[in-house]
Amino acid sequence: MERSRMSRASSSRLSELPQRVESNRMSMVYATPQSKQPSFGKLNIPKPQSVTSERRTSFFGSRTSGAGMARNSTFGAFGGAEKMKDPRPLHDKAYVQQCIRQLCEFLSEKGFPGSMSVKSLQSPSTKEFLKIFEFIYCLLDPTFQMPTSKVEEEVPRILKDLGYPFALSKSSMYSVGAPHTWPQVLGAVVWLIDTVKIFCCMSEQDLLFADFSDGSTEIEEGVEFNKLFLDYTAETYNKFMQGADTFEEEDAEYLAKLKRLYNVDEALLVSMEEKYRMLSDEVERLEKESQTDRLMVKRTEKVKLQTDLQKLQSYRSNLESFKANLENKASGLAEELESSGLQVETLKQEESRLQHILSTQKFTPADIDRINWEKRELQQTINSLSKSLEQAEQHMWNEEITLAKVKETAEVKLAEYHKLARKLKLIPVSAENACGHDFEIRTSTEYGPSTMVQCRTQIQQPLRKLITDVEEECSRLTDMKLSLEESIEQVNSNISEKANDLKQLREQIRRLDEQLEQDIQDIAHEEQKWSAEMESVENHRKLLEKKVTLGYDEAVEQLKAAQQQYHLVLQETNEERRTVVHNLASVFTTAANHLSIVEKFLEDQHKRVDRVYTEAFREDEVDIQKLKDMMESFITKANSL
């Protein structure tokens, strides 16, 4: 049942052209089921009152009309449907952006599981498209799962089964986000969204009119419904092919049959409408009786109560914060009180101890005064020594800072020296330019004059010797450079000579190319001449066919005029036909022989030109290879020097 609804919902009015006659009715059948579509032959119904009829377009495709005919179905005599051209402006950027916005809004409305924006839908990947397609199709069939293989065949097949009227190639599934394929794929997705909306609308109608059935939930899949549907489709299609645009009588008859099939109770509908009208009148009366001022008073009271509630909540939060502060202060005072009590106990113990010492001591007050004076003298001495110690420590700290700065400067210069030495390949000892000498200056905790002397003896003498060797090597290389420059000048002169030779060879190749192009143009001219001759032969053949057709029509008229001359006219007609066929066969044989001779001549010319071009190219390659060998030999000699 669900699949039947989906097939009917998926193919509504597919033509993008406006209707010729505006209709204020709702079609009783949204679409023709594509999966059960019969293969009609070519309908040729005569329309005697009109010789030429207007061009009409139905959802089956474009229909053309000729002399003495009404509408012609696009289903040909062999049952094959022609391809429809998509009338939507899919190459218009504004229309594409509108479709993208529509798709984005639909996905957000239906709760698409993922982040999707208009920017990401400009050129989505194949993986994102498959997720979107699976999500939309699951709204039609919740049990659907996208296959893991051959999705490029599965998606066009699903769209074709749903009744999508335009072809969607398999190659477009490999690069969905490409600029030349995304508009067509987007059009198919928008069509699928419209199908889902129609399906949801029909599902809601099924829920509304579910009480009219007598308990049978699969009546649409039965024989009775299919028979009614096919009879209605065939009758309306025949009327449409005869020129009708509205089908009120057929719709009324089909509606009556559907009501009888679904056991629709007309009395129940009338009673429900009356009940709805009464309830609407009651609601309208109650709304009129209610006072607008009372509602405004209640709204004002509600606003005041909400304001008071907010003030109470803020006052409560202030009280809670004040309570927390008081609790923190109380805890702090309790801790201070406890510490003060302990301090009082300690002072009492100290007082008792001092009182005991005072009662037991043997010193006189003069001794105590003397001891106090000595104590003050010692305290002054300690203060002066402490100041001297602080000054000494400050001086030592300044000296250490100065020493650290000097060490840092020395380490920076040492690092620069090591970096330059590594760049010159002087360190380590096994470096290329070290020559077994150790040019590395190692850091030491103790610096002194001996360290500087050791560094000078270790580095200066090998460096001076190395500088002398480098200067000698530079002079030798300078002489070698001068000799190599002279050799290079000689090689360049040879190269210029060979370049002139190569230019001459290229000029010869250009002439051969011009000759080849001229030959090709001549051949093309001959082909045009032969195509013109073939066209004239074709015109002559058509003229002969037309004459044969006219002769046949005259023979038919003579057959109707004189029955007694039937055998004679038939014999003459057959004789003329054999003569025409013989003449045509001889003409075609002559033309085919001439074409074969021309093709053979062109092939010979092409082979000859290819052979000449190949020989010239080989000679050029040999000369170029010689030049390359000569250059390599000169480069090898220069490197050896």
Side-chain angles (χ1 to χ4, degrees):
M1 179 178 179
E2 193 173 25
R3 183 176 179 182
S4 176
R5 292 174 183 171
M6 179 178 66
S7 63
R8 293 197 317 275
S10 62
S11 57
S12 60
R13 180 177 176 86
L14 300 180
S15 178
E16 295 294 332
L17 298 176
Q19 293 184 354
R20 291 163 294 170
V21 178
E22 294 184 358
S23 178
N24 55 359
R25 62 181 176 85
M26 177 183 288
S27 177
M28 298 306 300
V29 180
Y30 280 86
T32 302
Q34 297 294 332
S35 59
K36 300 179 182 179
Q37 196 177 48
S39 179
F40 296 101
K42 189 172 184 179
L43 300 177
N44 294 324
I45 301 174
K47 189 175 182 183
Q49 70 272 15
S50 176
V51 178
T52 58
S53 61
E54 61 178 351
R55 298 173 63 90
R56 302 173 186 265
T57 302
S58 72
F59 61 90
F60 289 103
S62 61
R63 296 189 305 274
T64 59
S65 58
M69 300 181 184
R71 296 182 175 89
N72 293 334
S73 174
T74 56
F75 290 89
F78 299 97
E82 298 178 0
K83 289 186 178 180
M84 286 182 62
K85 185 177 180 181
D86 198 339
R88 296 173 294 180
L90 294 176
H91 296 287
D92 187 6
K93 293 183 179 179
Y95 182 77
V96 172
Q97 294 299 321
Q98 180 183 354
C99 293
I100 290 173
R101 287 193 295 271
Q102 182 181 353
L103 174 59
C104 188
E105 292 174 359
F106 180 81
L107 293 177
S108 61
E109 179 183 352
K110 297 297 181 181
F112 179 70
S115 61
M116 194 61 61
S117 62
V118 177
K119 185 176 181 181
S120 61
L121 289 175
Q122 297 295 331
S123 58
S125 61
T126 304
K127 186 176 180 181
E128 293 175 348
F129 166 73
L130 293 178
K131 287 182 180 179
I132 295 171
F133 183 84
E134 183 178 5
F135 173 75
I136 297 174
Y137 191 74
C138 283
L139 299 176
L140 296 174
D141 185 7
T143 61
F144 173 74
Q145 289 183 354
M146 183 63 71
T148 57
S149 61
K150 294 185 178 180
V151 292
E152 67 277 2
E153 298 178 0
E154 189 68 18
V155 172
R157 185 191 64 77
I158 292 173
L159 291 172
K160 184 178 180 182
D161 291 341
L162 288 176
Y164 186 60
F166 311 114
L168 194 65
S169 61
K170 293 189 292 183
S171 60
S172 62
M173 295 293 104
Y174 293 105
S175 58
V176 174
H180 63 282
T181 57
W182 174 234
Q184 282 76 17
V185 178
L186 180 62
V189 174
V190 172
W191 180 88
L192 185 59
I193 290 173
D194 295 337
T195 303
V196 171
K197 291 179 180 178
I198 295 173
F199 174 71
C200 294
C201 180
M202 293 188 67
S203 299
E204 292 174 359
Q205 289 180 2
D206 292 340
L207 291 174
L208 289 174
F209 300 103
D211 296 335
F212 294 150
S213 64
D214 56 353
S216 176
T217 58
E218 297 182 356
I219 191 169
E220 290 189 1
E221 293 292 339
V223 178
E224 296 178 357
F225 174 78
N226 290 335
K227 185 175 182 302
L228 286 176
F229 174 73
L230 292 176
D231 290 343
Y232 171 79
T233 305
E235 186 175 358
T236 53
Y237 184 72
N238 288 331
K239 292 291 184 65
F240 180 77
M241 295 300 294
Q242 292 176 2
D245 286 312
T246 57
F247 312 100
E248 284 81 4
E249 296 179 359
E250 288 78 6
D251 289 344
E253 184 180 356
Y254 182 67
L255 180 61
K257 291 180 181 179
L258 285 178
K259 287 180 179 179
R260 288 196 299 271
L261 180 62
Y262 285 101
N263 296 325
V264 177
D265 191 356
E266 294 287 345
L268 179 61
L269 284 175
V270 173
S271 63
M272 290 180 68
E273 289 178 357
E274 184 66 24
K275 187 176 180 181
Y276 174 75
R277 186 181 61 77
M278 293 173 62
L279 291 173
S280 300
D281 294 339
E282 184 69 20
V283 170
E284 186 177 359
R285 185 181 60 80
L286 291 173
E287 288 179 352
K288 288 181 179 179
E289 290 179 357
S290 62
Q291 296 295 331
T292 308
D293 296 336
R294 184 181 176 185
L295 180 61
M296 293 299 295
V297 169
K298 294 295 183 183
R299 288 178 179 174
T300 307
E301 291 179 357
K302 180 182 178 182
V303 172
K304 290 181 179 179
L305 291 174
Q306 288 178 353
T307 306
D308 294 339
L309 179 61
Q310 291 178 359
K311 290 180 180 179
L312 287 174
Q313 288 177 354
S314 62
Y315 181 68
R316 180 185 175 185
S317 62
N318 293 330
L319 286 178
E320 289 178 353
S321 61
F322 183 70
K323 180 182 177 182
N325 292 330
L326 290 178
E327 289 177 352
N328 293 329
K329 289 180 180 179
S331 61
L333 291 173
E335 291 176 357
E336 289 180 359
L337 182 60
E338 185 179 357
S339 62
S340 299
L342 293 174
Q343 188 175 3
V344 168
E345 292 293 332
T346 305
L347 290 174
K348 286 181 180 180
Q349 292 177 3
E350 183 68 21
E351 183 182 3
S352 61
R353 185 180 66 80
L354 292 174
Q355 190 66 33
H356 177 70
I357 292 171
L358 181 62
S359 61
T360 57
Q361 70 180 353
K362 297 178 181 180
F363 294 101
T364 61
D367 294 334
I368 291 172
D369 293 337
R370 182 177 55 80
I371 290 170
N372 289 332
W373 182 79
E374 290 178 356
K375 180 181 178 182
R376 286 193 296 273
E377 290 291 333
L378 290 172
Q379 187 66 36
Q380 290 178 0
T381 305
I382 288 170
N383 291 334
S384 63
L385 291 174
S386 297
K387 290 181 180 180
S388 300
L389 180 61
E390 288 179 358
Q391 291 177 359
E393 287 179 352
Q394 183 66 28
H395 182 68
M396 184 181 68
W397 175 251
N398 294 332
E399 292 295 331
E400 286 180 355
I401 290 174
T402 305
L403 181 61
K405 290 181 179 179
V406 172
K407 284 185 177 180
E408 186 177 357
T409 305
E411 287 176 357
V412 170
K413 291 184 178 180
L414 185 60
E416 292 178 356
Y417 167 75
H418 286 166
K419 183 177 179 182
L420 182 60
R422 287 190 182 91
K423 189 181 292 186
L424 296 174
K425 298 180 181 180
L426 295 176
I427 57 174
V429 182
S430 59
E432 181 179 353
N433 298 328
C435 299
H437 298 289
D438 187 8
F439 291 99
E440 185 176 2
I441 300 176
R442 293 173 177 81
T443 58
S444 177
T445 56
E446 297 180 358
Y447 291 96
S450 61
T451 305
M452 295 298 294
V453 172
Q454 184 180 357
C455 290
R456 287 176 181 175
T457 55
Q458 179 184 352
I459 295 171
Q460 281 187 354
Q461 292 180 359
L463 275 178
R464 288 174 181 174
K465 184 179 179 182
L466 184 62
I467 290 170
T468 305
D469 296 339
V470 168
E471 289 177 352
E472 293 177 355
E473 184 69 19
C474 286
S475 62
R476 186 179 65 81
L477 290 175
T478 303
D479 297 336
M480 187 181 294
K481 178 184 176 182
L482 294 174
S483 62
L484 287 175
E485 287 178 351
E486 292 177 356
S487 301
I488 288 170
E489 288 179 357
Q490 185 177 0
V491 170
N492 288 332
S493 63
N494 294 331
I495 289 172
S496 61
E497 293 177 358
K498 295 298 180 181
N500 294 328
D501 297 338
L502 183 61
K503 188 182 295 183
Q504 294 177 0
L505 292 174
R506 286 179 179 174
E507 183 66 23
Q508 293 179 2
I509 292 170
R510 186 183 62 78
R511 292 174 182 175
L512 291 174
D513 290 337
E514 291 178 354
Q515 184 66 29
L516 177 61
E517 185 176 358
Q518 184 66 30
D519 294 340
I520 291 172
Q521 290 178 357
D522 295 340
I523 292 169
H525 182 69
E526 291 180 359
E527 287 180 352
Q528 291 178 358
K529 183 175 68 175
W530 286 115
S531 63
E533 291 181 0
M534 285 295 295
E535 186 176 357
S536 63
V537 171
E538 184 68 22
N539 294 330
H540 182 64
R541 183 184 65 81
K542 290 180 180 179
L543 182 61
L544 291 176
E545 287 180 353
K546 186 176 180 181
K547 289 181 179 179
V548 168
T549 305
L550 293 174
Y552 181 74
D553 293 338
E554 291 175 359
V556 171
E557 291 176 358
Q558 290 176 4
L559 177 62
K560 291 180 181 180
Q563 187 75 29
Q564 64 275 11
Q565 296 180 0
Y566 169 76
H567 296 287
L568 180 61
V569 172
L570 180 62
Q571 184 176 1
E572 291 177 356
T573 304
N574 292 331
E575 187 66 24
E576 289 179 0
R577 185 178 296 174
R578 283 195 298 270
T579 304
V580 170
V581 169
H582 180 70
N583 292 334
L584 287 174
S586 62
V587 169
F588 287 149
T589 304
T590 305
N593 293 332
H594 186 71
L595 285 174
S596 62
I597 293 170
V598 171
E599 288 178 355
K600 185 176 179 182
F601 174 75
L602 291 175
E603 288 178 0
D604 294 338
Q605 291 291 330
H606 185 66
K607 289 180 181 178
R608 184 175 64 80
V609 171
D610 285 343
R611 186 171 61 254
V612 173
Y613 181 80
T614 304
E615 290 176 357
F617 186 76
R618 286 177 180 175
E619 291 177 358
D620 294 340
E621 283 185 347
V622 171
D623 294 336
I624 291 170
Q625 187 63 34
K626 288 180 180 180
L627 289 173
K628 287 182 179 179
D629 295 338
M630 188 178 296
M631 282 294 299
E632 289 177 357
S633 63
F634 278 116
I635 291 170
T636 305
K637 290 180 180 180
N639 291 331
S640 62
L641 292 176

